[in-house]
Amino acid sequence: MTELTFKIIFIIIIFGLTLLIAMYSTLAERKVAAFLQDRIGPNRAGPFGILQPVADGLKFFFKEEIIPSTSNKILFILGPCIAITTALMTSAVLPWGPAITINGQIYNLQVADVNIGILFVFGVVSLGVYGIMVGGWASNNKYSLLGALRASSQMISYELAMGMSLIALLMSSGTLGVREIVEQQPGFHWNVFYQPLGFLIFMICAFAETNRTPFDLPECEAELVGGYHTEYSSMKLGLYLFAEYINMFISSAVMASLYFGGYNFPFMNELGLSPNAISIIGSSVFFLKIIIFIFFFMWVRWTIPRFRFDQLMHLGWKVLIPLAVLNMMLTGLFILFFKS
Amino acid sequence: MRDSYIPILIQFIVVIGFVVVTMVATHLLGPKRNSIKKLKNFECGIESQGNARKPFSVKFFLVAILFVLFDVEIIFFYPWAINFKELGMKGFVEMLVFVVFVLFGLFYVIKKKALKWDE
């Protein structure tokens, strides 16, 4: 098996897994909501409602496609395409496990081990704003426009604090490659213990970037109907919703690999397992961490009420950015005086 | 080194293929029973009033402009952060000066009430 064939198979596996997890996140969201509100949740399609996402997906395909007559048709179709494309591209630079050996050949469980990994993630995530803005503007609907404007100003504001909070992590790691950062956290030496404030800021920003509650102003049902996707129907709406769940999955993966050691788990080198066994357990542990983060996203959604827009901007610009700068300077001082 | 970017291209092709297939499939599978009223913009059931492309609150534009300014400044931090350990104390002090400028800019923006929404 050549390197390239392995890469192609691996890309398709990761692609399929991303879609599968995003699909089942929708079911999990409803089940978690039901659990937190003392209800049962969906249980009609299959045992425990296990086929509910399949039924929802098929229904999206068979729904009527409505393009408003006053909208800008090309941009209207392009909007959800951009949103889903950017959401699906981010997974390319994340390491999903340590290297695996098949027939004496070593394969990296990563699509592309580029040395600008984090910059790639930021670049692609920023493009996601276009998907929402283009779709909301092209709808030519007041609710959509308001939702899109709110979404883009919220996402760009929190991107600043997100970028700032990561700088402190980069100062101690000295690299932008995600695999190298993960390898620097062997066993239980996770970055979250050295960067608690940085992680907190990063996580709040991740909530805002994925438009999740308490930052779901772009689509708050009570005032904006559906926000930027008010006019969308059929699979075009499906792609927008899907992109949101994929983004949640990807940000969980990014948080798990940057701050929670990625595929590293405690005592991984003391157990005396073969490298392939460690790879398999490591990948499973990584996915477990991701699922815990996804559960946390949902837990927060059904616990905390929504912010007001001025509060949101206040938190982003006047609290998180100065805090991130402070965290950066403190990290710098700590590295200078205690590590050298 | 350049080879490592080829898988990203492959992934992009896979993603584009998925998106195109989905969009074409939903276009072909769904029913098409359009009418003039149905294709109107949704405004909670009442007759839609005018066009949505009207002048809008300038605050959103201000936020966008400020984002460009501050994002460029943040990108300047990245190469410094990567080489932080080699640069040592000298690099730290030099960056401290830059941080003071950035924070002064932020302070000015806040004092100018560019980020004040409740008025």
Side-chain angles (χ1 to χ4, degrees), chain A residues 166-235:
Chain A
L166 256 189
I167 292 171
L169 179 74
L170 298 178
M171 281 157 78
S172 57
S173 71
T175 173
L176 282 166
V178 186
R179 177 171 287 275
E180 277 179 76
I181 292 178
V182 172
E183 275 166 3
Q184 285 169 1
Q185 320 171 48
F188 212 49
H189 298 282
W190 297 349
N191 278 333
V192 66
F193 302 121
Y194 308 106
Q195 284 290 332
L197 183 61
F199 169 68
L200 194 70
I201 298 169
F202 191 86
M203 192 181 63
I204 293 172
C205 295
F207 274 81
E209 288 284 310
T210 48
N211 295 334
R212 296 283 302 184
T213 324
F215 306 105
D216 67 338
L217 286 121
E219 44 188 300
C220 52
E221 300 85 354
E223 19 183 306
L224 290 184
V225 192
Y228 56 87
H229 52 57
T230 303
E231 290 288 355
Y232 280 90
S233 63
S234 79
M235 203 58 197

Side-chain angles (χ1 to χ4, degrees), chain A residues 35-306:
Chain A
F35 170 69
L36 291 175
Q37 297 169 347
D38 206 10
R39 293 184 283 118
I40 296 171
N43 65 348
R44 296 289 140 156
F48 307 108
I50 207 108
L51 295 175
Q52 188 67 43
V54 183
D56 288 344
L58 280 178
K59 198 146 189 196
F60 270 132
F61 274 109
F62 289 104
K63 283 292 172 188
E64 183 172 353
E65 191 186 32
I66 295 172
I67 302 178
S69 49
T70 49
S71 68
N72 189 325
K73 291 196 176 49
I74 297 171
L75 291 180
F76 189 79
I77 295 170
L78 201 63
C81 296
I82 299 176
I84 190 96
T85 309
T86 53
L88 282 167
M89 281 305 292
T90 330
S91 60
V93 293
L94 298 177
W96 301 93
I100 199 165
T101 320
I102 308 169
N103 295 334
Q105 235 181 321
I106 298 169
Y107 299 105
N108 267 338
L109 291 183
Q110 187 176 17
V111 173
D113 190 7
V114 292
N115 55 3
I116 52 150
I118 291 174
L119 279 185
F120 179 85
V121 172
F122 270 101
V124 175
V125 166
S126 319
L127 288 179
V129 181
Y130 284 102
I132 292 172
M133 195 64 217
V134 164
W137 185 82
S139 303
N140 200 355
N141 176 315
K142 285 141 204 155
Y143 300 115
S144 305
L145 185 68
L146 271 170
L149 279 169
R150 279 188 185 183
S152 29
S153 48
Q154 164 184 336
M155 282 166 90
I156 58 181
S157 300
Y158 279 77
E159 210 176 291
L160 293 178
M162 197 179 215
M164 277 278 189
S165 67
L166 256 189
I167 292 171
L169 179 74
L170 298 178
M171 281 157 78
S172 57
S173 71
T175 173
L176 282 166
V178 186
R179 177 171 287 275
E180 277 179 76
I181 292 178
V182 172
E183 275 166 3
Q184 285 169 1
Q185 320 171 48
F188 212 49
H189 298 282
W190 297 349
N191 278 333
V192 66
F193 302 121
Y194 308 106
Q195 284 290 332
L197 183 61
F199 169 68
L200 194 70
I201 298 169
F202 191 86
M203 192 181 63
I204 293 172
C205 295
F207 274 81
E209 288 284 310
T210 48
N211 295 334
R212 296 283 302 184
T213 324
F215 306 105
D216 67 338
L217 286 121
E219 44 188 300
C220 52
E221 300 85 354
E223 19 183 306
L224 290 184
V225 192
Y228 56 87
H229 52 57
T230 303
E231 290 288 355
Y232 280 90
S233 63
S234 79
M235 203 58 197
K236 290 206 286 298
L237 172 66
L239 288 186
Y240 264 132
L241 301 180
F242 224 52
E244 190 187 318
Y245 281 96
I246 294 171
N247 277 333
M248 193 165 81
F249 168 66
I250 295 294
S251 15
S252 302
V254 169
M255 281 194 282
S257 30
L258 293 184
Y259 288 99
F260 279 80
Y263 50 74
N264 291 303
F265 52 95
F267 312 114
M268 65 188 290
N269 296 322
E270 286 83 20
L271 289 172
L273 294 165
S274 70
N276 274 355
I278 286 189
S279 289
I280 292 166
I281 299 175
S283 295
S284 320
V285 168
F286 185 46
F287 276 98
L288 185 72
K289 286 173 188 169
I290 293 174
I291 288 167
I292 292 173
F293 268 116
I294 292 179
F295 173 73
F296 185 68
F297 267 95
M298 289 166 183
W299 188 9
V300 168
R301 169 164 182 183
W302 299 105
T303 310
I304 299 178
R306 184 181 296 135

Side-chain angles (χ1 to χ4, degrees), chain A residues 11 15 19 61-65 67-70 77 81 84-85 88-89 91-92 111-112 114 116 137-143 145-146 149 153 156-157 159-160 163-164 167 170-172 174-176 225 230-231 234-236 239 309-310 313 317-318 325 328-329 332-333 336, chain B residues 1 4-8 10-12 14-16 18-19 22-23 25-27 29-34 38-44 49-53 56 60 63-64 66-67 70-71 74-75 77-78 80-82 84-85 88-89 92 96 99 102-103 106 110 115 117-118:
Chain A
I11 287 170
F15 180 72
L19 291 185
F61 274 109
F62 289 104
K63 283 292 172 188
E64 183 172 353
E65 191 186 32
I67 302 178
S69 49
T70 49
I77 295 170
C81 296
I84 190 96
T85 309
L88 282 167
M89 281 305 292
S91 60
V111 173
V114 292
I116 52 150
W137 185 82
S139 303
N140 200 355
N141 176 315
K142 285 141 204 155
Y143 300 115
L145 185 68
L146 271 170
L149 279 169
S153 48
I156 58 181
S157 300
E159 210 176 291
L160 293 178
M164 277 278 189
I167 292 171
L170 298 178
M171 281 157 78
S172 57
T175 173
L176 282 166
V225 192
T230 303
E231 290 288 355
S234 79
M235 203 58 197
K236 290 206 286 298
L239 288 186
F309 197 75
D310 60 316
M313 285 297 170
W317 285 88
K318 296 176 196 166
V325 172
M328 183 173 92
M329 289 294 122
L333 284 177
L336 279 178
Chain B
M1 192 57 237
S4 57
Y5 289 90
I6 288 174
I8 294 185
I10 299 172
Q11 177 154 355
F12 188 64
V14 171
V15 170
I16 290 291
F18 167 76
V19 171
T22 318
M23 294 302 271
T26 187
H27 181 70
L29 287 173
K32 285 162 197 71
R33 289 187 294 266
N34 293 333
K38 198 190 231 177
L39 292 184
K40 277 215 169 137
N41 277 314
F42 177 76
E43 250 165 56
C44 302
Q49 299 287 317
N51 198 307
R53 284 162 198 167
F56 201 75
F60 290 97
V63 169
L66 289 176
F67 163 72
F70 280 93
D71 208 35
I74 285 173
I75 287 301
F77 282 110
Y78 274 73
W80 167 76
I82 299 298
F84 178 69
K85 282 175 185 161
M89 199 60 187
F92 183 74
L96 205 61
V99 165
V102 172
L103 285 183
L106 187 66
I110 291 170
L115 297 167
W117 289 80
D118 45 347

